[in-house]
mmCIF file of all heavy atoms in Angstrom:
data_model
loop_
_atom_site.group_PDB
_atom_site.id
_atom_site.type_symbol
_atom_site.label_atom_id
_atom_site.label_comp_id
_atom_site.label_asym_id
_atom_site.label_seq_id
_atom_site.Cartn_x
_atom_site.Cartn_y
_atom_site.Cartn_z
ATOM 1 N N LEU A 1323 99.248 123.687 81.499
ATOM 2 C CA LEU A 1323 99.996 124.471 82.485
ATOM 3 C C LEU A 1323 100.998 123.532 83.141
ATOM 4 O O LEU A 1323 100.608 122.588 83.839
ATOM 5 C CB LEU A 1323 99.018 125.030 83.535
ATOM 6 C CG LEU A 1323 97.821 125.807 82.964
ATOM 7 C CD1 LEU A 1323 96.732 125.991 84.020
ATOM 8 C CD2 LEU A 1323 98.272 127.162 82.426
ATOM 9 N N GLY A 1325 103.466 123.736 85.540
ATOM 10 C CA GLY A 1325 103.681 123.657 86.995
ATOM 11 C C GLY A 1325 105.144 123.645 87.406
ATOM 12 O O GLY A 1325 106.012 124.164 86.700
ATOM 13 N N ASP A 1326 105.407 123.043 88.561
ATOM 14 C CA ASP A 1326 106.727 123.131 89.206
ATOM 15 C C ASP A 1326 107.423 121.769 89.277
ATOM 16 O O ASP A 1326 106.838 120.744 88.955
ATOM 17 C CB ASP A 1326 106.538 123.636 90.649
ATOM 18 C CG ASP A 1326 105.859 124.985 90.698
ATOM 19 O OD1 ASP A 1326 106.360 125.915 90.059
ATOM 20 O OD2 ASP A 1326 104.811 125.089 91.371
ATOM 21 N N VAL A 1358 101.847 128.573 85.457
ATOM 22 C CA VAL A 1358 101.361 128.720 86.837
ATOM 23 C C VAL A 1358 102.527 128.367 87.759
ATOM 24 O O VAL A 1358 103.577 127.925 87.298
ATOM 25 C CB VAL A 1358 100.161 127.783 87.144
ATOM 26 C CG1 VAL A 1358 98.915 128.169 86.375
ATOM 27 C CG2 VAL A 1358 100.531 126.325 86.904
ATOM 28 N N GLY A 1359 102.327 128.538 89.063
ATOM 29 C CA GLY A 1359 103.340 128.109 90.028
ATOM 30 C C GLY A 1359 104.469 129.112 90.169
ATOM 31 O O GLY A 1359 104.297 130.315 89.951
ATOM 32 N N THR A 1369 100.860 132.984 91.687
ATOM 33 C CA THR A 1369 101.047 131.641 91.119
ATOM 34 C C THR A 1369 99.986 131.312 90.061
ATOM 35 O O THR A 1369 100.200 130.451 89.217
ATOM 36 C CB THR A 1369 100.977 130.573 92.229
ATOM 37 O OG1 THR A 1369 99.777 130.799 92.974
ATOM 38 C CG2 THR A 1369 102.179 130.636 93.148
ATOM 39 N N VAL A 1370 98.826 132.000 90.143
ATOM 40 C CA VAL A 1370 97.778 131.815 89.120
ATOM 41 C C VAL A 1370 97.147 133.160 88.792
ATOM 42 O O VAL A 1370 96.510 133.776 89.649
ATOM 43 C CB VAL A 1370 96.622 130.895 89.613
ATOM 44 C CG1 VAL A 1370 95.786 130.443 88.424
ATOM 45 C CG2 VAL A 1370 97.115 129.710 90.389
ATOM 46 N N LEU A 1386 97.108 120.115 84.012
ATOM 47 C CA LEU A 1386 97.875 120.845 85.025
ATOM 48 C C LEU A 1386 99.000 119.948 85.528
ATOM 49 O O LEU A 1386 98.748 118.886 86.099
ATOM 50 C CB LEU A 1386 96.949 121.244 86.192
ATOM 51 C CG LEU A 1386 97.627 121.962 87.358
ATOM 52 C CD1 LEU A 1386 98.153 123.338 86.944
ATOM 53 C CD2 LEU A 1386 96.655 122.116 88.532
ATOM 54 N N GLY A 1387 100.233 120.381 85.319
ATOM 55 C CA GLY A 1387 101.377 119.657 85.878
ATOM 56 C C GLY A 1387 101.380 119.836 87.390
ATOM 57 O O GLY A 1387 100.684 120.706 87.921
ATOM 58 N N ALA A 1389 102.163 121.077 91.068
ATOM 59 C CA ALA A 1389 102.614 122.376 91.574
ATOM 60 C C ALA A 1389 103.236 122.168 92.950
ATOM 61 O O ALA A 1389 102.916 121.211 93.654
ATOM 62 C CB ALA A 1389 101.437 123.331 91.666
ATOM 63 N N ALA A 1390 104.120 123.079 93.318
ATOM 64 C CA ALA A 1390 104.817 122.974 94.615
ATOM 65 C C ALA A 1390 103.891 123.469 95.713
ATOM 66 O O ALA A 1390 104.156 124.492 96.350
ATOM 67 C CB ALA A 1390 106.106 123.790 94.561
ATOM 68 N N THR A 1391 102.818 122.738 95.972
ATOM 69 C CA THR A 1391 101.772 123.225 96.882
ATOM 70 C C THR A 1391 102.311 123.542 98.268
ATOM 71 O O THR A 1391 101.806 124.429 98.941
ATOM 72 C CB THR A 1391 100.638 122.187 97.006
ATOM 73 O OG1 THR A 1391 101.218 120.930 97.332
ATOM 74 C CG2 THR A 1391 99.883 122.046 95.718
ATOM 75 N N PHE A 1394 103.426 127.141 98.755
ATOM 76 C CA PHE A 1394 102.474 128.240 98.613
ATOM 77 C C PHE A 1394 101.618 128.350 99.871
ATOM 78 O O PHE A 1394 100.650 127.627 100.054
ATOM 79 C CB PHE A 1394 101.612 128.024 97.362
ATOM 80 C CG PHE A 1394 102.431 127.834 96.117
ATOM 81 C CD1 PHE A 1394 102.051 126.942 95.128
ATOM 82 C CD2 PHE A 1394 103.609 128.551 95.936
ATOM 83 C CE1 PHE A 1394 102.816 126.762 93.992
ATOM 84 C CE2 PHE A 1394 104.389 128.377 94.798
ATOM 85 C CZ PHE A 1394 103.988 127.475 93.827
ATOM 86 N N GLU A 1401 100.478 133.597 96.634
ATOM 87 C CA GLU A 1401 100.844 132.172 96.682
ATOM 88 C C GLU A 1401 99.577 131.308 96.758
ATOM 89 O O GLU A 1401 99.169 130.848 97.820
ATOM 90 C CB GLU A 1401 101.743 131.904 97.891
ATOM 91 C CG GLU A 1401 103.067 132.645 97.828
ATOM 92 C CD GLU A 1401 103.859 132.495 99.122
ATOM 93 O OE1 GLU A 1401 103.385 131.857 100.067
ATOM 94 O OE2 GLU A 1401 104.975 133.041 99.179
ATOM 95 N N ILE A 1402 98.951 131.131 95.620
ATOM 96 C CA ILE A 1402 97.711 130.341 95.555
ATOM 97 C C ILE A 1402 98.076 128.937 95.085
ATOM 98 O O ILE A 1402 98.906 128.775 94.192
ATOM 99 C CB ILE A 1402 96.743 130.987 94.541
ATOM 100 C CG1 ILE A 1402 96.408 132.418 94.988
ATOM 101 C CG2 ILE A 1402 95.482 130.164 94.357
ATOM 102 C CD1 ILE A 1402 95.903 133.283 93.865
ATOM 103 N N ASN A 1403 97.455 127.943 95.693
ATOM 104 C CA ASN A 1403 97.679 126.561 95.252
ATOM 105 C C ASN A 1403 96.893 126.341 93.950
ATOM 106 O O ASN A 1403 95.663 126.325 93.972
ATOM 107 C CB ASN A 1403 97.207 125.633 96.383
ATOM 108 C CG ASN A 1403 97.153 124.184 95.966
ATOM 109 O OD1 ASN A 1403 97.419 123.836 94.829
ATOM 110 N ND2 ASN A 1403 96.787 123.339 96.922
ATOM 111 N N PRO A 1404 97.586 126.196 92.806
ATOM 112 C CA PRO A 1404 96.867 126.107 91.531
ATOM 113 C C PRO A 1404 95.896 124.925 91.475
ATOM 114 O O PRO A 1404 94.819 125.027 90.898
ATOM 115 C CB PRO A 1404 97.993 125.923 90.495
ATOM 116 C CG PRO A 1404 99.228 126.396 91.163
ATOM 117 C CD PRO A 1404 99.049 126.139 92.618
ATOM 118 N N SER A 1405 96.278 123.832 92.090
ATOM 119 C CA SER A 1405 95.424 122.646 92.083
ATOM 120 C C SER A 1405 94.092 122.960 92.769
ATOM 121 O O SER A 1405 93.005 122.719 92.226
ATOM 122 C CB SER A 1405 96.175 121.523 92.789
ATOM 123 O OG SER A 1405 95.333 120.448 92.999
ATOM 124 N N MET A 1406 94.168 123.533 93.969
ATOM 125 C CA MET A 1406 92.961 123.946 94.697
ATOM 126 C C MET A 1406 92.161 124.952 93.869
ATOM 127 O O MET A 1406 90.939 124.842 93.746
ATOM 128 C CB MET A 1406 93.382 124.564 96.037
ATOM 129 C CG MET A 1406 92.276 125.209 96.833
ATOM 130 S SD MET A 1406 91.814 126.891 96.331
ATOM 131 C CE MET A 1406 93.258 127.835 96.770
ATOM 132 N N TYR A 1407 92.861 125.908 93.283
ATOM 133 C CA TYR A 1407 92.210 127.018 92.583
ATOM 134 C C TYR A 1407 91.312 126.529 91.446
ATOM 135 O O TYR A 1407 90.160 126.934 91.326
ATOM 136 C CB TYR A 1407 93.310 127.944 92.042
ATOM 137 C CG TYR A 1407 92.816 129.198 91.390
ATOM 138 C CD1 TYR A 1407 92.384 130.283 92.152
ATOM 139 C CD2 TYR A 1407 92.776 129.316 90.002
ATOM 140 C CE1 TYR A 1407 91.939 131.448 91.548
ATOM 141 C CE2 TYR A 1407 92.329 130.471 89.390
ATOM 142 C CZ TYR A 1407 91.913 131.536 90.170
ATOM 143 O OH TYR A 1407 91.470 132.682 89.571
ATOM 144 N N PHE A 1408 91.846 125.610 90.636
ATOM 145 C CA PHE A 1408 91.045 125.130 89.500
ATOM 146 C C PHE A 1408 89.968 124.153 89.958
ATOM 147 O O PHE A 1408 88.852 124.165 89.459
ATOM 148 C CB PHE A 1408 91.939 124.499 88.427
ATOM 149 C CG PHE A 1408 92.804 125.513 87.738
ATOM 150 C CD1 PHE A 1408 94.179 125.522 87.919
ATOM 151 C CD2 PHE A 1408 92.243 126.484 86.933
ATOM 152 C CE1 PHE A 1408 94.975 126.469 87.305
ATOM 153 C CE2 PHE A 1408 93.018 127.451 86.307
ATOM 154 C CZ PHE A 1408 94.398 127.440 86.497
ATOM 155 N N ARG A 1409 90.316 123.281 90.917
ATOM 156 C CA ARG A 1409 89.304 122.337 91.407
ATOM 157 C C ARG A 1409 88.108 123.094 91.973
ATOM 158 O O ARG A 1409 86.955 122.732 91.735
ATOM 159 C CB ARG A 1409 89.898 121.430 92.490
ATOM 160 C CG ARG A 1409 90.864 120.408 91.937
ATOM 161 C CD ARG A 1409 91.454 119.573 93.047
ATOM 162 N NE ARG A 1409 92.516 118.720 92.540
ATOM 163 C CZ ARG A 1409 93.163 117.833 93.291
ATOM 164 N NH1 ARG A 1409 92.872 117.690 94.565
ATOM 165 N NH2 ARG A 1409 94.116 117.080 92.774
ATOM 166 N N MET A 1584 89.999 118.396 84.277
ATOM 167 C CA MET A 1584 91.425 118.747 84.363
ATOM 168 C C MET A 1584 92.246 117.481 84.620
ATOM 169 O O MET A 1584 92.025 116.788 85.613
ATOM 170 C CB MET A 1584 91.615 119.746 85.504
ATOM 171 C CG MET A 1584 93.056 120.104 85.803
ATOM 172 S SD MET A 1584 93.151 121.471 86.988
ATOM 173 C CE MET A 1584 92.978 120.597 88.543
ATOM 174 N N GLN A 1586 95.554 115.695 85.791
ATOM 175 C CA GLN A 1586 96.580 116.073 86.776
ATOM 176 C C GLN A 1586 97.131 114.781 87.367
ATOM 177 O O GLN A 1586 96.350 113.931 87.805
ATOM 178 C CB GLN A 1586 95.903 116.916 87.860
ATOM 179 C CG GLN A 1586 96.807 117.581 88.819
ATOM 180 C CD GLN A 1586 96.018 118.286 89.937
ATOM 181 O OE1 GLN A 1586 94.838 118.019 90.143
ATOM 182 N NE2 GLN A 1586 96.683 119.161 90.651
#
Side-chain angles (χ1 to χ4, degrees):
L1323 307 165
D1326 301 305
V1358 292
T1369 51
V1370 195
L1386 177 66
T1391 52
F1394 305 143
E1401 297 173 358
I1402 300 159
N1403 170 358
S1405 170
M1406 172 279 292
Y1407 185 78
F1408 291 111
R1409 288 178 188 183
M1584 174 171 83
Q1586 190 185 17

